[in-house]
Amino acid sequence: MALENSRKHSSVVVDGRDRAPARSMLRAVGFEDDDFKKPQVGVASSPSDLTPCNMHLGELAKHATDGVNAAGGKAVNFSTITVSDGISMGTAGMRYSLVSREVIADSIETAVAAEGFDGLVAIGGCDKNMPGCMIAIARLNRPSVFVYGGTILPGFLPQDKEEKDALDIVSVFEAVGRHARGELDDEGLKCVEKSAIPGAGSCGGMYTANTMASAIEAMGMSLPNSSAQLAIGKPKREDCARAGEAVCKLLEQGVTARDIMTRKAFENAITVGMALGGSTNLILHLLAIAHAAEVDLTIDDFAEIGKRVPVLCDVKPFGRYNVSHLIRIGGIRPLMKVLLDRGLLHGDCLTVSGQTMAESLAGVEPYPAYPDKQDIVRPWDDPIKPDTHLRILRGNLAPTGAVGKITGKEGLHFKGPAKVYENEEDALQGILRGDVVSGDVVVIRNEGPVGGPGMREMLSPTAAVAGRGLIKEVALITDGRFSGGSHGFDVGHITPEAACGGPIGIVKNGDQIEVDAVKNSISLLIPDEEYDARMAAYTPPPPPRDSRGAGQIRQARRHCQRRCRDGQRFVLTAQPPPPKKVRRDQDSS
């Protein structure tokens, strides 16, 4: 198919005498006569001063625009929103974080569909705009390429002349805990605050942004190496220009997003994310993207794939290195080649490069020798963990499932008394006061999609635990979720959540809780009779509601996560379910 014949959508908008008004509007923004004969490609990004993750995306969009135009298309730029988890974390504003993913997806879908764009380049650089872009791409099903905005350089304290101890945003959160412990004075805390974030780019560890970037590349929706580039520098700008060219080739070939976003492609994304030691949000976001792409994917698929995938990368938050260090030794491509050679990637999957996954990895060189030349990526026979750190747990505390992030460095089993908090703010203050001691299981409830509302991330409490020196001595469980920067013995996404009548709502201070990451179980250790009596008597508290707008409609209603009986799939629903009594042997919907 010639490029000029790849105008399935834009031709409806601009061709014919009756479309003269549309052409007149477009002439005002720079269209010439010849441009109306070219396929139109939307270039969506979210440039803003809201966060360093996105502050440079406007410039990157210009390079993508140039790439589209040079390849014979006509690029049209537009912007969407973003929010910064690093800024809103620990406040009521964080209730809007997960919601922003859907707002971003809706806005991109709306602009592309309304304006009749034939293709799309979407540029994202933060936790929610990346999956938001991918949800829109999946819904639209047009030739599309995703571009990652790139990772940030590490920061260093002024006295760290040899730059041995890299800092990032998690360093600042943990410094708050160190300050509460008395290990860091006011001036020391301020020094960390001023040094940790040196400029543009997404948070530097294998947190949610870098996890999702890697998964999207593994899915085939980004060009090779897009996920392992610094936000600043020539390679990322070239990546954007090449993405513009690539989308025009996809238009010529008639290849749409869902031709690439197959079930096998999602399995590749899961495999790579797990081998890298990625965020629990990998599960949350891939399920949502798969739902948009009409690909059948459930939490049990993550459990099954995880049995075969070792954790190989010693990266933050649980490890020593930032993604900038991983970039220096080759990024994620050599790891993907190892996984392909071991039969863990589907090599026949198509990618936006026009090659299959196997073809795109054919010439990839291995990492430098371990441990003489690098100690970031471990060899296959000496993994950090022989199977995945992302555990799907069930038990009488989570009848329909929970997600644990347990690398083994903190052990694989934890049993201790519950220290219960009704929300994140109370938990954070309790940890900073020293109420939480070694051996405790911190329970933070009423933070799910309905109860929060919005399913906030618990980075502030987990970082405070780390800062107080208790990261290997305390477990933390919640019906909310965790930031990619969280580490320790953490279990989130507990369902049903407290606001929907889930058993996490009946836990009392001092109750014994057991988490087993080998048996993949999470249990409240009270007699059956007492469990049943508490469940029968439990009435969930009403969730806080904003009076109107996104806070009420989007958070407390549309984004309630419910489970289907046919496989425990997370789905979006029109309304929250009514509070429901859940026995431990019930499979609640």
Side-chain angles (χ1 to χ4, degrees):
M1 182 189 300
L3 189 59
E4 58 269 20
N5 296 327
S6 305
R7 301 178 55 244
K8 177 180 178 181
H9 303 282
S10 63
S11 62
V12 177
V13 175
V14 301
D15 287 4
R17 293 185 179 86
D18 61 323
R19 301 310 303 162
R23 293 193 296 274
S24 182
M25 295 286 283
L26 290 170
R27 289 181 189 279
V29 298
F31 272 61
E32 303 289 345
D33 285 347
D34 287 346
D35 293 328
F36 294 112
K37 302 173 185 177
K38 302 173 183 176
Q40 293 182 29
V41 176
V43 178
S45 62
S46 50
S48 73
D49 294 335
L50 285 167
T51 168
C53 311
N54 288 51
M55 60 189 285
H56 62 304
L57 296 192
E59 180 195 352
L60 296 187
K62 292 178 182 178
H63 290 279
T65 296
D66 291 343
V68 170
N69 292 338
K74 176 58 179 175
V76 182
N77 273 278
F78 66 97
S79 299
T80 183
I81 68 159
T82 195
V83 298
S84 174
D85 293 356
I87 295 172
S88 61
M89 195 78 70
T91 74
M94 191 64 188
R95 291 170 178 157
Y96 287 83
S97 170
L98 186 54
V99 177
S100 74
R101 182 188 73 183
E102 312 307 316
V103 175
I104 292 161
D106 289 351
S107 67
I108 294 175
E109 177 194 359
T110 299
V112 171
E115 299 303 306
F117 296 146
D118 301 296
L120 175 65
V121 176
I123 306 173
C126 205
D127 294 9
K128 308 309 170 304
N129 58 46
M130 299 170 67
C133 288
M134 291 303 299
I135 289 170
I137 285 171
R139 290 178 187 167
L140 289 160
N141 193 29
R142 301 181 188 189
S144 304
V145 179
F146 177 80
V147 178
Y148 177 41
T151 193
I152 196 171
L153 284 167
F156 298 94
L157 292 172
Q159 60 269 31
D160 185 7
K161 302 299 184 183
E162 297 183 2
E163 297 188 344
K164 290 184 176 181
D165 297 315
L167 302 176
D168 59 23
I169 186 60
V170 177
S171 308
V172 189
F173 278 97
E174 294 186 356
V176 173
R178 292 169 56 204
H179 180 271
R181 188 184 184 187
E183 183 182 321
L184 204 62
D185 61 16
D186 288 350
E187 189 58 34
L189 177 60
K190 186 174 183 179
C191 190
V192 174
E193 172 191 328
K194 293 174 69 174
S195 303
I197 312 296
S202 298
C203 300
M206 191 54 67
Y207 310 147
T208 302
N210 281 311
T211 298
M212 288 308 302
S214 301
I216 293 167
E217 180 177 332
M219 192 186 296
M221 288 303 298
S222 291
L223 291 172
N225 285 318
S226 182
S227 67
Q229 291 171 335
L230 295 174
I232 60 172
K234 186 177 179 181
K236 180 48 64 184
R237 277 97 190 126
E238 292 176 343
D239 180 40
C240 294
R242 289 188 295 112
E245 297 168 7
V247 76
C248 290
K249 290 181 181 178
L250 294 174
L251 280 162
E252 283 187 286
Q253 297 162 358
V255 175
T256 66
R258 293 195 197 178
D259 293 331
I260 297 170
M261 298 171 69
T262 63
R263 164 69 189 222
K264 286 183 177 181
F266 276 92
E267 291 180 0
N268 285 350
I270 293 168
T271 298
V272 171
M274 287 177 169
L276 287 166
S279 166
T280 54
N281 285 315
L282 176 76
I283 298 175
L284 189 76
H285 294 321
L286 285 184
L287 286 169
I289 297 167
H291 180 65
E294 298 185 289
V295 170
D296 185 23
L297 193 69
T298 75
I299 58 172
D300 292 324
D301 294 317
F302 289 81
E304 185 60 32
I305 292 170
K307 295 175 184 177
R308 306 186 293 271
V309 182
V311 179
L312 296 173
C313 295
D314 191 11
V315 287
K316 292 184 178 182
F318 61 83
R320 293 175 293 167
Y321 293 103
N322 281 12
V323 172
S324 58
H325 299 112
L326 182 61
I327 292 170
R328 293 176 192 171
I329 64 167
I332 72 167
R333 304 289 290 174
L335 175 66
M336 291 172 63
K337 182 67 162 59
V338 169
L339 294 168
L340 177 70
D341 292 344
R342 293 279 175 171
L344 294 180
L345 290 187
H346 300 288
D348 58 341
C349 287
L350 184 63
T351 74
V352 294
S353 70
Q355 298 178 306
T356 65
M357 181 62 69
E359 290 169 343
S360 74
L361 293 172
V364 173
E365 295 293 327
Y367 290 117
Y370 178 93
D372 297 335
K373 302 295 184 180
Q374 62 87 18
D375 59 353
I376 301 172
V377 182
R378 304 277 282 271
W380 187 266
D381 57 0
D382 184 25
I384 293 170
K385 192 173 185 291
D387 58 1
T388 184
H389 62 303
L390 299 179
R391 315 303 294 186
I392 305 301
L393 309 172
R394 288 189 173 87
N396 70 347
L397 254 182
T400 51
V403 177
K405 184 178 184 179
I406 303 168
T407 66
K409 290 188 174 184
E410 56 286 289
L412 297 173
H413 177 271
F414 200 102
K415 180 180 177 182
K419 190 69 63 75
V420 181
Y421 296 97
E422 301 299 332
N423 54 61
E424 180 188 4
E425 288 87 350
D426 289 351
L428 177 61
Q429 293 308 311
I431 294 165
L432 294 177
R433 279 195 309 266
D435 297 350
V436 173
V437 298
S438 178
D440 281 347
V441 178
V442 179
V443 179
I444 308 177
R445 61 193 178 201
N446 304 309
E447 290 291 359
V450 174
M455 206 179 188
R456 291 190 289 180
E457 292 179 340
M458 302 292 115
L459 178 56
S460 294
T462 58
V465 166
R468 292 194 68 88
L470 296 170
I471 196 66
K472 294 184 179 180
E473 301 170 27
V474 167
L476 194 150
I477 70 173
T478 181
D479 54 7
R481 61 194 176 98
F482 290 108
S483 163
S486 292
H487 63 115
F489 210 101
D490 302 331
V491 180
H493 304 211
I494 288 179
T495 58
E497 63 176 284
C500 294
I504 191 174
I506 68 170
V507 180
K508 297 181 180 180
N509 282 319
D511 286 345
Q512 289 289 309
I513 292 174
E514 182 177 38
V515 181
D516 190 323
V518 177
K519 296 180 180 178
N520 295 324
S521 63
I522 178 168
S523 305
L524 175 61
L525 302 179
I526 60 176
D528 291 351
E529 298 79 7
E530 183 175 355
Y531 180 98
D532 292 341
R534 289 192 197 179
M535 288 300 298
Y538 178 54
T539 300
R545 299 286 178 95
D546 294 338
S547 61
R548 61 189 301 173
Q552 179 188 30
I553 298 171
R554 303 302 293 271
Q555 293 169 335
R557 293 185 182 176
R558 182 173 176 182
H559 302 294
C560 174
Q561 289 179 335
R562 297 181 66 187
R563 306 284 193 163
C564 294
R565 292 182 185 275
D566 63 351
Q568 314 301 315
R569 181 208 290 269
F570 282 117
V571 297
L572 302 180
T573 63
Q575 300 182 50
K580 183 176 180 180
K581 304 290 193 300
V582 181
R583 295 175 60 90
R584 66 165 140 194
D585 58 347
Q586 288 179 325
D587 183 14
S588 172
S589 63

